[in-house]
PDB file of all heavy atoms in Angstrom:
ATOM      1  N   LEU B 241      19.600 -29.761 -62.643  1.00 51.00           N
ATOM      2  CA  LEU B 241      19.328 -28.927 -61.478  1.00 51.00           C
ATOM      3  C   LEU B 241      18.644 -29.709 -60.370  1.00 51.00           C
ATOM      4  O   LEU B 241      18.492 -29.229 -59.266  1.00 51.00           O
ATOM      5  CB  LEU B 241      18.478 -27.713 -61.876  1.00 51.00           C
ATOM      6  CG  LEU B 241      19.158 -26.762 -62.851  1.00 51.00           C
ATOM      7  CD1 LEU B 241      18.257 -25.574 -63.134  1.00 51.00           C
ATOM      8  CD2 LEU B 241      20.489 -26.297 -62.329  1.00 51.00           C
ATOM      9  N   SER B 246      14.913 -42.327 -58.460  1.00 70.00           N
ATOM     10  CA  SER B 246      14.281 -43.512 -59.046  1.00 70.00           C
ATOM     11  C   SER B 246      12.901 -43.183 -59.606  1.00 70.00           C
ATOM     12  O   SER B 246      12.497 -43.703 -60.632  1.00 70.00           O
ATOM     13  CB  SER B 246      14.211 -44.654 -58.038  1.00 70.00           C
ATOM     14  OG  SER B 246      13.606 -44.210 -56.849  1.00 70.00           O
ATOM     15  N   ILE B 254       8.596 -30.754 -54.584  1.00 92.00           N
ATOM     16  CA  ILE B 254       9.541 -29.773 -55.140  1.00 92.00           C
ATOM     17  C   ILE B 254       9.233 -28.390 -54.558  1.00 92.00           C
ATOM     18  O   ILE B 254      10.132 -27.687 -54.104  1.00 92.00           O
ATOM     19  CB  ILE B 254       9.484 -29.744 -56.681  1.00 92.00           C
ATOM     20  CG1 ILE B 254       9.956 -31.081 -57.245  1.00 92.00           C
ATOM     21  CG2 ILE B 254      10.316 -28.592 -57.230  1.00 92.00           C
ATOM     22  CD1 ILE B 254       9.736 -31.240 -58.744  1.00 92.00           C
ATOM     23  N   ALA B 261      14.296 -24.132 -48.940  1.00 98.00           N
ATOM     24  CA  ALA B 261      15.543 -23.485 -49.372  1.00 98.00           C
ATOM     25  C   ALA B 261      15.482 -21.981 -49.135  1.00 98.00           C
ATOM     26  O   ALA B 261      16.416 -21.386 -48.581  1.00 98.00           O
ATOM     27  CB  ALA B 261      15.810 -23.792 -50.847  1.00 98.00           C
ATOM     28  N   ALA B 271      20.951 -15.388 -38.938  1.00 97.00           N
ATOM     29  CA  ALA B 271      21.812 -16.071 -37.963  1.00 97.00           C
ATOM     30  C   ALA B 271      23.243 -15.544 -37.960  1.00 97.00           C
ATOM     31  O   ALA B 271      23.944 -15.650 -36.950  1.00 97.00           O
ATOM     32  CB  ALA B 271      21.805 -17.576 -38.242  1.00 97.00           C
ATOM     33  N   GLU B 282      27.168 -25.453 -39.578  1.00 97.00           N
ATOM     34  CA  GLU B 282      26.232 -26.554 -39.375  1.00 97.00           C
ATOM     35  C   GLU B 282      24.915 -26.300 -40.122  1.00 97.00           C
ATOM     36  O   GLU B 282      24.360 -27.211 -40.738  1.00 97.00           O
ATOM     37  CB  GLU B 282      25.964 -26.768 -37.878  1.00 97.00           C
ATOM     38  CG  GLU B 282      25.142 -28.018 -37.606  1.00 97.00           C
ATOM     39  CD  GLU B 282      24.954 -28.301 -36.122  1.00 97.00           C
ATOM     40  OE1 GLU B 282      25.405 -27.512 -35.281  1.00 97.00           O
ATOM     41  OE2 GLU B 282      24.333 -29.338 -35.824  1.00 97.00           O
ATOM     42  N   SER B 287      21.453 -28.013 -44.300  1.00 97.00           N
ATOM     43  CA  SER B 287      20.564 -27.613 -45.396  1.00 97.00           C
ATOM     44  C   SER B 287      20.989 -28.256 -46.704  1.00 97.00           C
ATOM     45  O   SER B 287      20.144 -28.683 -47.496  1.00 97.00           O
ATOM     46  CB  SER B 287      20.512 -26.090 -45.526  1.00 97.00           C
ATOM     47  OG  SER B 287      21.747 -25.565 -45.951  1.00 97.00           O
ATOM     48  N   GLN B 288      22.300 -28.355 -46.925  1.00 97.00           N
ATOM     49  CA  GLN B 288      22.770 -29.011 -48.155  1.00 97.00           C
ATOM     50  C   GLN B 288      22.413 -30.492 -48.161  1.00 97.00           C
ATOM     51  O   GLN B 288      22.049 -31.042 -49.196  1.00 97.00           O
ATOM     52  CB  GLN B 288      24.285 -28.851 -48.296  1.00 97.00           C
ATOM     53  CG  GLN B 288      24.699 -27.449 -48.671  1.00 97.00           C
ATOM     54  CD  GLN B 288      26.192 -27.312 -48.653  1.00 97.00           C
ATOM     55  OE1 GLN B 288      26.853 -27.845 -49.528  1.00 97.00           O
ATOM     56  NE2 GLN B 288      26.722 -26.619 -47.677  1.00 97.00           N
ATOM     57  N   ASN B 299      22.173 -26.785 -58.465  1.00 93.00           N
ATOM     58  CA  ASN B 299      20.968 -26.012 -58.151  1.00 93.00           C
ATOM     59  C   ASN B 299      21.360 -24.699 -57.465  1.00 93.00           C
ATOM     60  O   ASN B 299      22.257 -24.684 -56.617  1.00 93.00           O
ATOM     61  CB  ASN B 299      20.071 -26.860 -57.238  1.00 93.00           C
ATOM     62  CG  ASN B 299      18.848 -26.127 -56.787  1.00 93.00           C
ATOM     63  OD1 ASN B 299      18.923 -25.321 -55.869  1.00 93.00           O
ATOM     64  ND2 ASN B 299      17.727 -26.402 -57.425  1.00 93.00           N
ATOM     65  N   LEU B 342      32.380 -11.322 -63.409  1.00 94.00           N
ATOM     66  CA  LEU B 342      33.341 -11.112 -62.328  1.00 94.00           C
ATOM     67  C   LEU B 342      33.059 -12.030 -61.134  1.00 94.00           C
ATOM     68  O   LEU B 342      33.950 -12.266 -60.328  1.00 94.00           O
ATOM     69  CB  LEU B 342      33.345  -9.643 -61.902  1.00 94.00           C
ATOM     70  CG  LEU B 342      33.956  -8.703 -62.953  1.00 94.00           C
ATOM     71  CD1 LEU B 342      33.796  -7.255 -62.524  1.00 94.00           C
ATOM     72  CD2 LEU B 342      35.419  -9.032 -63.187  1.00 94.00           C
ATOM     73  N   LEU B 354      43.854 -19.856 -52.560  1.00 96.00           N
ATOM     74  CA  LEU B 354      43.788 -20.995 -51.637  1.00 96.00           C
ATOM     75  C   LEU B 354      44.783 -22.078 -52.040  1.00 96.00           C
ATOM     76  O   LEU B 354      45.503 -22.613 -51.197  1.00 96.00           O
ATOM     77  CB  LEU B 354      42.378 -21.591 -51.610  1.00 96.00           C
ATOM     78  CG  LEU B 354      41.376 -20.960 -50.667  1.00 96.00           C
ATOM     79  CD1 LEU B 354      39.965 -21.448 -50.977  1.00 96.00           C
ATOM     80  CD2 LEU B 354      41.722 -21.265 -49.217  1.00 96.00           C
ATOM     81  N   ILE B 374      39.337 -13.537 -67.559  1.00 96.00           N
ATOM     82  CA  ILE B 374      38.009 -12.919 -67.392  1.00 96.00           C
ATOM     83  C   ILE B 374      38.150 -11.436 -67.056  1.00 96.00           C
ATOM     84  O   ILE B 374      37.477 -10.584 -67.632  1.00 96.00           O
ATOM     85  CB  ILE B 374      37.201 -13.648 -66.296  1.00 96.00           C
ATOM     86  CG1 ILE B 374      36.886 -15.088 -66.726  1.00 96.00           C
ATOM     87  CG2 ILE B 374      35.902 -12.886 -65.983  1.00 96.00           C
ATOM     88  CD1 ILE B 374      36.345 -15.972 -65.612  1.00 96.00           C
ATOM     89  N   MET B 375      39.064 -11.134 -66.146  1.00 95.00           N
ATOM     90  CA  MET B 375      39.247  -9.752 -65.699  1.00 95.00           C
ATOM     91  C   MET B 375      39.747  -8.842 -66.824  1.00 95.00           C
ATOM     92  O   MET B 375      39.395  -7.658 -66.862  1.00 95.00           O
ATOM     93  CB  MET B 375      40.210  -9.714 -64.514  1.00 95.00           C
ATOM     94  CG  MET B 375      39.620 -10.330 -63.259  1.00 95.00           C
ATOM     95  SD  MET B 375      40.849 -10.625 -61.966  1.00 95.00           S
ATOM     96  CE  MET B 375      41.274  -8.954 -61.515  1.00 95.00           C
ATOM     97  N   GLU B 394      53.452 -14.173 -61.612  1.00 94.00           N
ATOM     98  CA  GLU B 394      54.903 -14.044 -61.868  1.00 94.00           C
ATOM     99  C   GLU B 394      55.719 -14.467 -60.660  1.00 94.00           C
ATOM    100  O   GLU B 394      56.787 -15.069 -60.796  1.00 94.00           O
ATOM    101  CB  GLU B 394      55.264 -12.602 -62.259  1.00 94.00           C
ATOM    102  CG  GLU B 394      54.810 -12.214 -63.655  1.00 94.00           C
ATOM    103  CD  GLU B 394      55.430 -13.082 -64.743  1.00 94.00           C
ATOM    104  OE1 GLU B 394      56.653 -13.324 -64.718  1.00 94.00           O
ATOM    105  OE2 GLU B 394      54.650 -13.557 -65.602  1.00 94.00           O
TER     106      GLU B 394
END
Side-chain angles (χ1 to χ4, degrees):
L241 297 182
S246 53
I254 295 171
E282 188 176 3
S287 67
Q288 287 174 72
N299 176 281
L342 290 174
L354 274 167
I374 295 168
M375 291 167 68
E394 287 299 314

